[in-house]
Amino acid sequence: MKTPGVLVASRAILGEWLGGSGGGWQDSGGIWPGIKKIYGVEAQEDDPEYGISRGRLLPQHDVWDQNRAPAELRDQLARSLVLIHGGMAQNVGPILEMVTEKYLLRSKEEWIARQEMHGIFDRICQSLEEGDVKQLASLTTQNWNGPLKTIIPWVTNHFTETIIEPRATVVWF
């Protein structure tokens, strides 16, 4: 029998689909507070997808406890992060379709970027475990400016680039 968390995640994902977002399972991570690693896994015998699909529809959520992500790291992150909403809400379906198409066709630039992203992700996890927030910032910037923009050109817009440009002058009204 599946854990209650899986049922809650399933309902969150279903709500996304019924709401028409076209979104995926990555948003289900908001159910569990804190730092977590969310990743796809192969379907197992007790999964409904087993025998039908290689992968399981629901991801694995590894919530990092105090040993893996100590309070000092969490505090540093809280003091370092700035959340800005770009003012855009959209159906991500066309973006997911484009990314899937490029993946299935093994488009060269995007395939190379995806491999690069795997290495960056491993180093991001390492920087979190080491509590190195400056290295984390450097790696997420590298991922944003490199592989992510290669795989998903629509990931950014003029507003976003203006906000993150370190020499930009931003006027708020």
Side-chain angles (χ1 to χ4, degrees):
M1 181 173 160
K2 295 290 179 186
T3 64
V6 171
L7 181 59
V8 172
S10 299
R11 289 178 177 167
I13 294 165
L14 179 60
E16 288 240 347
W17 291 350
L18 292 174
S21 74
W25 49 257
Q26 69 281 0
D27 297 325
S28 64
I31 295 168
W32 294 275
I35 298 170
K36 64 201 71 69
K37 180 178 174 184
I38 305 173
Y39 54 94
V41 293
E42 288 189 24
Q44 304 296 312
E45 281 190 45
D46 61 338
D47 293 320
E49 303 86 352
Y50 186 74
I52 298 169
S53 172
R54 179 173 171 225
R56 190 172 77 189
L57 177 61
L58 292 174
Q60 178 70 38
H61 295 79
D62 288 342
V63 180
W64 291 18
D65 63 15
Q66 291 292 328
N67 293 324
R68 194 155 183 202
E72 181 181 327
L73 168 67
R74 294 166 193 260
D75 186 54
Q76 285 180 316
L77 284 173
R79 288 183 286 131
S80 301
L81 298 176
V82 176
L83 177 63
I84 299 172
H85 187 282
M88 182 172 37
Q90 65 183 28
N91 179 349
V92 297
I95 295 171
L96 294 173
E97 183 179 326
M98 176 198 63
V99 170
T100 302
E101 177 184 317
K102 289 179 178 187
Y103 173 79
L104 293 173
L105 295 175
R106 300 299 196 263
S107 298
K108 185 177 180 179
E109 286 183 27
E110 290 82 358
W111 190 257
I112 292 168
R114 187 171 277 105
Q115 302 315 307
E116 183 183 351
M117 191 178 277
H118 283 295
I120 293 171
F121 181 74
D122 290 341
R123 294 191 335 258
I124 285 172
C125 291
Q126 181 180 358
S127 69
L128 281 167
E129 289 174 342
E130 293 172 356
D132 190 341
V133 176
K134 286 184 180 183
Q135 178 68 8
L136 173 65
S138 174
L139 290 165
T140 56
T141 300
Q142 179 185 348
N143 191 55
W144 171 262
N145 287 321
L148 199 55
K149 286 183 180 176
T150 299
I151 296 169
I152 310 170
W154 302 334
V155 75
T156 192
N157 57 35
H158 178 70
F159 176 81
T160 302
E161 293 300 318
T162 301
I163 293 296
I164 62 177
E165 173 58 43
R167 292 170 298 282
T169 300
V170 180
V171 179
W172 299 99
F173 298 97

